[in-house]
Amino acid sequence: IISLMKDLGEIRSTTHKSVDNSNKERHIAERKLSDLRHELDMVKSMNSKLQLENVGQKEAVENMQAELGTIKHESVDLIEKLQNKIEEHVDLKSKVEVESKLRTNAEHKEQQERTERIACSAQMVAMSKEHAQLEVDLRAEITSFGGESDKKIGQLEKKLYDRDEALKGANLRITG
């Protein structure tokens, strides 16, 4: 019995040690479980925050894409306006070149006409001098040949009349 009691004491002592070890291991496992649950809660909390942040980032990306679309649309409008302005500039430049060319041509023509008028005026002055000289000669001839034939006087008067007409025509061309 003693040995049985001894064995029973040993079994109790072993069982007690075993229970103590089990309790210690259970406490360690519970602590680990508590730590793991705490970590799980932290991970879940972090996951929620990241999901909220992800939703916010998605909204930001969508807003940026909308803004980018607006900016692209505005840039297309600006490009069209720029092209229109370039076309207007080219048209205006060609009009200015045409006007400049026309002005140069008009100035050249005006200079030619001025030169022509000067030449006609000089011709008219020369014709006037010649006419005056013919008239003087005619009068001198009439007085010196006082009794010469009417035929010669008629010829000289006709010549004088023709010169007058030519002079009038030159005056018309100059003024006209």
Side-chain angles (χ1 to χ4, degrees):
I1 291 198
I2 295 191
S3 104
L4 203 51
M5 291 276 274
K6 211 180 200 189
D7 284 339
L8 194 59
E10 280 181 26
I11 290 176
R12 272 190 200 166
S13 148
T14 308
T15 306
H16 188 45
K17 283 182 185 176
S18 208
V19 167
D20 282 344
N21 278 342
S22 290
N23 282 339
K24 283 180 185 176
E25 286 179 14
R26 186 177 53 91
H27 283 302
I28 291 172
E30 284 176 353
R31 238 183 277 133
K32 282 184 181 180
L33 179 65
S34 173
D35 289 344
L36 288 174
R37 282 185 179 159
H38 180 69
E39 278 185 48
L40 178 64
D41 288 342
M42 287 176 57
V43 168
K44 283 181 180 179
S45 172
M46 183 64 78
N47 188 27
S48 293
K49 286 180 184 178
L50 290 175
Q51 284 178 345
L52 286 173
E53 199 173 298
N54 189 22
V55 168
Q57 293 295 330
K58 282 181 182 178
E59 288 176 2
V61 166
E62 289 172 0
N63 290 340
M64 286 183 176
Q65 285 176 340
E67 285 180 32
L68 181 62
T70 303
I71 289 171
K72 283 181 181 179
H73 181 70
E74 288 173 356
S75 68
V76 166
D77 289 344
L78 288 174
I79 288 171
E80 287 176 4
K81 287 178 182 178
L82 180 63
Q83 287 173 342
N84 289 339
K85 291 294 181 184
I86 289 171
E87 289 173 5
E88 288 174 9
H89 174 71
V90 168
D91 288 344
L92 185 61
K93 185 178 178 183
S94 66
K95 286 179 183 178
V96 166
E97 287 174 357
V98 166
E99 282 184 25
S100 176
K101 197 172 193 177
L102 289 173
R103 184 175 294 125
T104 302
N105 289 344
E107 288 172 356
H108 181 68
K109 218 172 206 179
E110 186 178 327
Q111 183 62 33
Q112 283 178 338
E113 289 174 358
R114 187 177 297 127
T115 304
E116 194 176 299
R117 280 194 307 269
I118 289 170
C120 284
S121 291
Q123 183 181 7
M124 191 171 87
V125 167
M127 287 173 74
S128 293
K129 285 181 181 179
E130 184 183 340
H131 181 266
Q133 185 61 42
L134 274 175
E135 194 174 329
V136 168
D137 289 347
L138 180 63
R139 287 180 197 253
E141 215 176 292
I142 288 175
T143 45
S144 68
F145 299 111
E148 280 222 20
S149 79
D150 288 337
K151 182 179 178 185
K152 198 168 187 178
I153 291 173
Q155 288 175 349
L156 290 174
E157 284 179 347
K158 182 169 180 358
K159 198 174 186 182
L160 182 61
Y161 178 77
D162 289 342
R163 298 278 175 153
D164 264 347
E165 291 299 316
L167 186 59
K168 286 179 185 176
N171 275 335
L172 283 175
R173 278 194 316 225
I174 290 172
T175 58

